[in-house]
Amino acid sequence: MRDTAAVSSMLPTGGMVAGGVPLLSPLHRAFPCFTIPIVLPITLSMLLVGDRVHVIMGLMILIFGIAMLSSSVRVRRLFQDATDMRLKLASSIAEGSALQEMLRIDELIRIGNRRLFEEQLAKEWRRAERGRSILAVISADIDHFKAYNDRYGHPAGDRCLLSVAQAMATALQRPGDTAARIGGEEFAFVLPQTTLPGAEQVAERIRKAVWDLNLPHAGSTIAERVTVSLGVASSDHASVASEADLIRASDAALDEAKRRGRNQVATVAP
């Protein structure tokens, strides 16, 4: 009977201790605090009985408890390694995303660059084709910017670019629109689901936002402040059959705005 009782007490004890390994090992010192108060009293009580069966059972429980403690240490290390790996992976993904974002942002003026413009234009062109919607593009130049640099210096020119770019980006208003600097003083805008009249309104808002900055430009032959010229085109124009055609059309409209005297918005001819 005593042998049976010893075996009966050993089995649930072993099950409890073994079951605690995966559950408690990740928690610092939780498994030893759970295991030692269970294993030691039972081991001591069996050893104190003194007969051969109880001594063997007691030693087996003690050895089993030590083995489980060792397993718990290994499980905790594995858990910690897995946690560290997940953190490193998450950090690596975040750094990669940040790097990709940096590659699409103009370092000087903190809006999109040519790469972002081209990617957004390609994406929105495909979306417009699928949804049979209209896509508009605006091309813009700061008027006589070389004369501005020559008169005020390149540091002032950089500050001018920053102010103009931020005013332009703010004038867009819609989250889906994209503003980008594609050259020295050249900018371009992608306007999804926008008709030509709607894009003209946006372009005029951009022109006025730059005008309202009231940045002095004594080297300009147009006004005594910084101004911009803008050309607008949309994908429903007869000459537009591709993304490249849309850019060419907006550039042609920009050339027309300059020909007419600058500081204005022009569209492609019907």
Side-chain angles (χ1 to χ4, degrees), residues 221-243:
T221 60
I222 305 163
E224 293 183 353
R225 65 179 75 179
V226 172
T227 60
V228 290
S229 300
L230 305 103
V232 183
S234 62
S235 58
D236 61 342
H237 192 272
S239 67
V240 175
S242 67
E243 306 155 46

Side-chain angles (χ1 to χ4, degrees), residues 69-88:
L69 287 170
S70 177
S71 296
S72 174
V73 171
R74 289 196 294 272
V75 169
R76 178 170 175 76
R77 284 179 186 156
L78 289 173
F79 178 82
Q80 189 61 53
D81 289 345
T83 301
D84 292 344
M85 187 175 296
R86 284 196 298 271
L87 291 174
K88 289 179 181 178

Side-chain angles (χ1 to χ4, degrees), residues 11-23 25 31 34-35 64 68:
L11 291 177
T13 300
M16 290 173 59
V17 172
V21 172
L23 296 176
S25 294
F31 186 74
F34 168 76
T35 302
F64 178 77
M68 290 299 99

Side-chain angles (χ1 to χ4, degrees), residues 49-270:
V49 172
D51 62 63
R52 182 171 176 272
V53 172
H54 281 80
V55 169
I56 292 174
M57 291 293 182
L59 292 175
M60 288 177 65
I61 291 175
L62 180 62
I63 294 170
F64 178 77
I66 293 172
M68 290 299 99
L69 287 170
S70 177
S71 296
S72 174
V73 171
R74 289 196 294 272
V75 169
R76 178 170 175 76
R77 284 179 186 156
L78 289 173
F79 178 82
Q80 189 61 53
D81 289 345
T83 301
D84 292 344
M85 187 175 296
R86 284 196 298 271
L87 291 174
K88 289 179 181 178
L89 180 60
S91 176
S92 177
I93 292 173
E95 289 175 0
S97 299
L99 177 60
Q100 288 300 315
E101 183 177 351
M102 288 174 60
L103 292 174
R104 291 165 174 80
I105 298 297
D106 187 284
E107 293 183 3
L108 175 62
I109 59 177
R110 307 311 300 164
I111 66 170
N113 57 18
R114 178 180 286 275
R115 178 175 180 177
L116 177 67
F117 169 74
E118 292 175 348
E119 289 179 354
Q120 288 298 108
L121 178 59
K123 182 177 75 174
E124 295 301 341
W125 180 270
R126 291 192 298 269
R127 182 179 295 174
E129 283 188 320
R130 290 195 303 268
R132 298 182 181 277
S133 59
I134 300 175
L135 172 66
V137 166
I138 300 173
S139 296
D141 275 4
I142 300 177
D143 295 323
H144 300 303
F145 187 68
K146 182 180 183 303
Y148 188 96
N149 271 334
D150 291 343
R151 186 173 189 91
Y152 298 102
H154 288 283
D158 289 346
R159 291 192 295 272
C160 173
L161 282 172
L162 177 60
S163 297
V164 169
Q166 295 304 316
M168 286 177 162
T170 302
L172 289 184
Q173 297 182 346
R174 296 192 312 176
D177 297 340
T178 300
R181 180 190 181 199
I182 59 173
E185 70 274 20
E186 302 170 11
F187 297 83
F189 308 86
V190 181
L191 310 179
Q193 299 180 355
T194 305
T195 62
L196 186 63
E200 283 185 86
Q201 292 179 8
V202 175
E204 177 58 28
R205 193 162 62 239
I206 292 172
R207 188 202 65 77
K208 188 174 185 303
V210 175
W211 175 265
D212 289 344
L213 289 173
N214 200 21
L215 298 174
H217 189 353
S220 174
T221 60
I222 305 163
E224 293 183 353
R225 65 179 75 179
V226 172
T227 60
V228 290
S229 300
L230 305 103
V232 183
S234 62
S235 58
D236 61 342
H237 192 272
S239 67
V240 175
S242 67
E243 306 155 46
D245 289 340
L246 185 55
I247 295 173
R248 277 193 290 269
S250 66
D251 286 344
L254 173 59
D255 290 340
E256 178 64 16
K258 292 178 181 179
R259 189 187 67 78
R260 292 177 186 173
R262 301 177 186 261
N263 186 31
Q264 59 185 280
V265 176
T267 62
V268 289

Side-chain angles (χ1 to χ4, degrees), residues 27-43:
L27 304 176
H28 185 57
R29 297 182 180 176
F31 186 74
C33 293
F34 168 76
T35 302
I36 293 173
I38 294 175
V39 171
L40 283 184
I42 296 176
T43 299

